[in-house]
């Protein structure tokens, strides 16, 4: 297994720099499952389309901050708590607080990502 801490840090940095789609292409496995609330998407193609729609709906990204991170090496899982403020087309300004839980494979790619809304 690759160094989970380094992989997770690189992914998060790319996201913070606005390289969301590039990060997705680099770090997500072909069979990735992404979950948010009752929404569950399977496969890199379906999830890439969702990410493209999200990025396309961003009118303005005001701020993004990682409040906390944790690494579970034994289970190949990383955790990060995010606080994002953005304006989305048709929605308006959003203050989003969430935890991302990522499961990684031996190739250093994410096979499962689940978002938990907080606050």
């Amino acid at each position: 297994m690759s160094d989970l801490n380094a992989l997770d840090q690189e992914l998060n940095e790319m996201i913070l720099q606005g390289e969301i789609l590039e990060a997705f292409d680099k770090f997500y496995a072909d069979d990735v499952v992404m979950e948010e609330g009752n929404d569950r998407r399977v496969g890199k193609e379906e999830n890439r389309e969702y990410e493209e729609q999200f990025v396309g709906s961003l009118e303005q990204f005001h701020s993004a901050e990682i409040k906390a991170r944790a690494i579970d090496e034994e289970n190949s899982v990383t955790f990060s708590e995010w606080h994002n403020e953005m304006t989305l087309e048709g929605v308006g300004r959003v203050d989003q607080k969430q935890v991302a839980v990522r499961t990684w494979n031996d190739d250093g790619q994410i096979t499962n990502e689940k978002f938990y809304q907080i606050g």
Side-chain angles (χ1 to χ4, degrees):
M1 168 56 78
S2 302
D3 180 3
L4 277 182
N5 185 46
L7 290 169
D8 192 61
Q9 278 186 318
E10 183 180 354
L11 170 60
N12 289 338
E13 266 310 304
M14 289 180 77
I15 293 168
L16 290 168
Q17 297 300 317
E19 300 171 356
I20 296 169
L21 296 177
E22 295 85 352
F24 182 83
D25 291 340
K26 181 173 183 175
F27 288 104
Y28 289 74
D30 289 341
D31 60 348
V32 65
V33 175
M34 297 178 77
E35 301 173 75
E36 190 167 358
N38 293 326
D39 189 22
R40 184 174 191 268
R41 298 174 304 280
V42 179
K44 193 166 189 170
E45 184 176 328
E46 181 179 346
N47 282 294
R48 179 71 157 72
E49 288 175 15
Y50 181 87
E51 294 298 313
E52 288 171 1
Q53 289 175 4
F54 170 73
V55 171
S57 73
L58 276 173
E59 289 183 355
Q60 186 175 4
F61 208 77
H62 306 288
S63 66
E65 180 182 6
I66 298 173
K67 297 288 197 174
R69 293 178 60 239
I71 312 295
D72 177 353
E73 291 279 351
E74 184 177 330
N75 293 303
S76 301
V77 176
T78 60
F79 305 83
S80 53
E81 179 184 349
W82 291 79
H83 182 193
N84 304 310
E85 290 186 47
M86 65 197 101
T87 299
L88 298 173
E89 185 179 301
V91 177
R93 191 165 179 137
V94 176
D95 183 12
Q96 180 187 60
K97 296 175 183 173
Q98 66 183 10
V99 174
V101 180
R102 302 173 179 133
T103 303
W104 300 75
N105 65 21
D106 290 338
D107 295 326
Q109 293 199 309
I110 297 165
T111 57
N112 185 277
E113 183 173 51
K114 186 162 188 171
F115 295 99
Y116 296 91
Q117 301 304 316
I118 55 176

